[in-house]
């Protein structure tokens, strides 16, 4: 009896999504390092924490594949893009990356629906909701940047944004605390 509870197609897509979440973590790590290097310690702290969240997303998918008696495939993670040109560019890149990730998640939702794999469909709803939050976060950062002058923001305005992010609540959790039942 085949006890694998996800199809090979869904399993492959979940494994690919796992790598994409790891890639997202690398992207946030690289932008965080860039921010720290440019004196934006508040932004760096925020992005470092977010890298941890992305890793948790990766772990959540890994755990789900195992739970469904599937095979986890850990592969190489693509390198992040070039460093941002400025803070506005950094937040634009964050938004772009989140939107691309949302689109991939929607594909998985569509696939699971087409296969009537309701377990995976249900599992993926957590990610659909999470992406709304993550896109909102990035959109809010860009909205603040726009008020501060966008690409031309400088001085006090940049300082204020950096200080705001330094004081942003830390809701990231460590990977070992994350389970599919309690993400
Ligand atoms: Fe795991 Fe930011 O998406």
């Amino acid at each position: 009896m085949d006890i694998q509870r996800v199809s090979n197609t869904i399993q492959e897509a979940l494994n690919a999504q796992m790598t994409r979440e790891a890639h997202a973590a690398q992207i946030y790590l690289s932008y965080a390092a860039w921010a720290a290097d440019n004196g934006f310690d508040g932004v760096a702290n925020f992005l470092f924490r977010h890298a941890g969240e992305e890793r948790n997303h990766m772990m959540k998918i890994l755990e789900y594949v195992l739970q469904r008696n599937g095979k986890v495939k850990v592969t190489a993670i693509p390198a992040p893009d070039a460093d941002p040109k400025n803070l506005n560019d950094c937040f634009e890149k964050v938004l772009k990356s989140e939107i691309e990730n949302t689109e991939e998640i929607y594909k998985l939702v569509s696939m699971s629906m087409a296969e009537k794999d309701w377990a995976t469909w249900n599992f993926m709803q957590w990610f659909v909701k999470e992406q709304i939050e993550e896109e909102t976060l990035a959109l809010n950062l860009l909205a603040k940047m726009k008020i501060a002058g966008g690409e031309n923001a400088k001085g006090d305005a940049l300082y204020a944004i950096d200080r705001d992010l330094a004081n942003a609540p830390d809701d990231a959790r460590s990977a070992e605390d994350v389970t599919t039942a309690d993400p």
Side-chain angles (χ1 to χ4, degrees):
M1 191 174 85
D2 184 4
I3 51 166
Q4 184 180 309
R5 299 293 292 136
V6 276
S7 72
N8 286 337
T9 314
I10 296 272
Q11 176 175 278
E12 197 177 316
L14 285 168
N15 274 310
Q17 187 58 33
M18 197 180 78
T19 305
R20 266 191 290 277
E21 299 292 347
H23 184 218
Q26 298 295 83
I27 290 172
Y28 277 102
L29 265 188
S30 75
Y31 295 172
W34 169 84
D37 199 31
N38 283 275
F40 298 119
D41 290 345
V43 175
N45 186 37
F46 172 81
L47 294 171
F48 276 129
R49 289 198 323 245
H50 208 95
E53 278 200 41
E54 296 299 350
R55 192 173 184 283
N56 288 346
H57 297 169
M58 176 199 77
M59 288 300 296
K60 194 169 161 65
I61 297 171
L62 182 148
E63 191 181 317
Y64 176 73
V65 174
L66 290 178
Q67 191 180 31
R68 303 302 288 158
N69 254 344
K71 178 122 184 65
V72 168
K73 194 163 183 353
V74 176
T75 64
I77 306 166
D81 288 345
D83 282 348
K85 292 193 288 283
N86 49 49
L87 205 52
N88 194 70
D89 188 38
C90 177
F91 294 160
E92 277 180 356
K93 281 171 180 268
V94 164
L95 178 63
K96 179 171 169 280
S97 160
E98 289 298 346
I99 290 175
E100 283 169 3
N101 199 26
T102 301
E103 282 164 5
E104 296 301 328
I105 282 163
Y106 287 176
K107 282 185 204 163
L108 251 159
V109 172
S110 300
M111 282 169 73
S112 54
M113 190 160 193
E115 284 198 17
K116 295 190 168 55
D117 175 353
W118 303 123
T120 301
W121 184 89
N122 182 259
F123 171 71
M124 290 310 297
Q125 295 310 303
W126 183 89
F127 285 89
V128 171
K129 188 161 166 280
E130 179 72 3
Q131 285 309 114
I132 298 173
E133 283 175 27
E134 307 226 311
E135 286 184 16
T136 302
L137 207 57
L139 285 165
N140 288 345
L141 289 174
L142 273 175
K144 277 191 182 168
M145 274 307 300
K146 194 171 171 198
I147 294 168
E151 296 242 321
N152 302 316
K154 45 174 105 49
D156 287 354
L158 288 178
Y159 180 79
I161 287 180
D162 189 54
R163 192 190 45 209
D164 275 4
L165 284 175
N167 296 327
D170 182 1
D171 56 4
R173 300 170 62 196
S174 57
E176 60 267 30
D177 293 336
V178 174
T179 64
T180 45
D182 181 18

